[in-house]
Amino acid sequence: MHTSAEQRRGGASAGRQSLRVIAFESRMALELRAMLEGCGARVALAPAMRCVDIHAGAPAQAFAEALLADRFDVVIFLTCVGVKALFKLLDAGYDQRALIAALARTTTVARGAKTAVALQELGLSTTLAVPQPATWRELLRMLDERVALTGKCV
């Protein structure tokens, strides 16, 4: 193991100054970089994933029309970002109160706490919240145990 003179003298940040970190975070990448650099690390950002706005007007409108016509029995929301993007897309052409009222007539499922909070911010209480760690496994297990899906529109 090679140590620098400062490390041998016991400098508190000497070890971190030579630390190289690659951060795969995407949403809080700049904040994470600043925090790590503040500790003396050299940081490279390489987001493992990123959110990209899509212009899914027609599918979103078809969803809204079916929702307002009470065609859904269960609606599953997977991400906070998805909830916000959907309602932003529908904001121009649909009454948000009517969409929320239609969702209130269905079984709504939120996969994760942030998703549930995004729905609450819209004024909607979720029927079911997927238990932690809120992966697809917990989602499917919860649906199997608590929702009779046979013949339902999801």
Side-chain angles (χ1 to χ4, degrees), residues 114-126:
K114 289 190 278 185
T115 305
V117 168
L119 292 168
Q120 287 171 352
E121 288 173 354
L122 292 168
L124 182 68
S125 298
T126 55

Side-chain angles (χ1 to χ4, degrees), residues 56-72 75 77 86-87 89-96 98-103 105-106:
Q61 290 171 353
F63 167 77
E65 295 296 329
L67 180 65
L68 293 169
D70 293 322
R71 292 190 194 126
F72 293 111
V75 177
F77 292 96
L86 175 66
F87 279 87
L89 242 133
L90 297 177
D91 189 42
Y94 295 90
D95 179 7
Q96 295 284 319
L99 293 170
I100 297 301
L103 282 168
R105 295 188 296 269
T106 69

Side-chain angles (χ1 to χ4, degrees), residues 128-141:
L128 298 169
V130 178
Q132 290 298 320
T135 68
W136 62 270
R137 288 179 178 89
E138 288 79 27
L139 170 64
L140 293 179
R141 185 176 305 117

Side-chain angles (χ1 to χ4, degrees), residues 42-114:
R42 290 186 292 161
V43 181
L45 296 177
M49 165 184 344
R50 68 184 168 132
C51 295
V52 177
D53 286 337
I54 59 169
H55 301 287
Q61 290 171 353
F63 167 77
E65 295 296 329
L67 180 65
L68 293 169
D70 293 322
R71 292 190 194 126
F72 293 111
D73 298 299
V74 179
V75 177
I76 302 169
F77 292 96
L78 298 176
T79 66
C80 169
V81 171
V83 169
K84 291 178 179 184
L86 175 66
F87 279 87
K88 182 179 176 185
L89 242 133
L90 297 177
D91 189 42
Y94 295 90
D95 179 7
Q96 295 284 319
R97 292 171 301 193
L99 293 170
I100 297 301
L103 282 168
R105 295 188 296 269
T106 69
T107 298
T108 54
V109 179
R111 188 200 59 85
K114 289 190 278 185

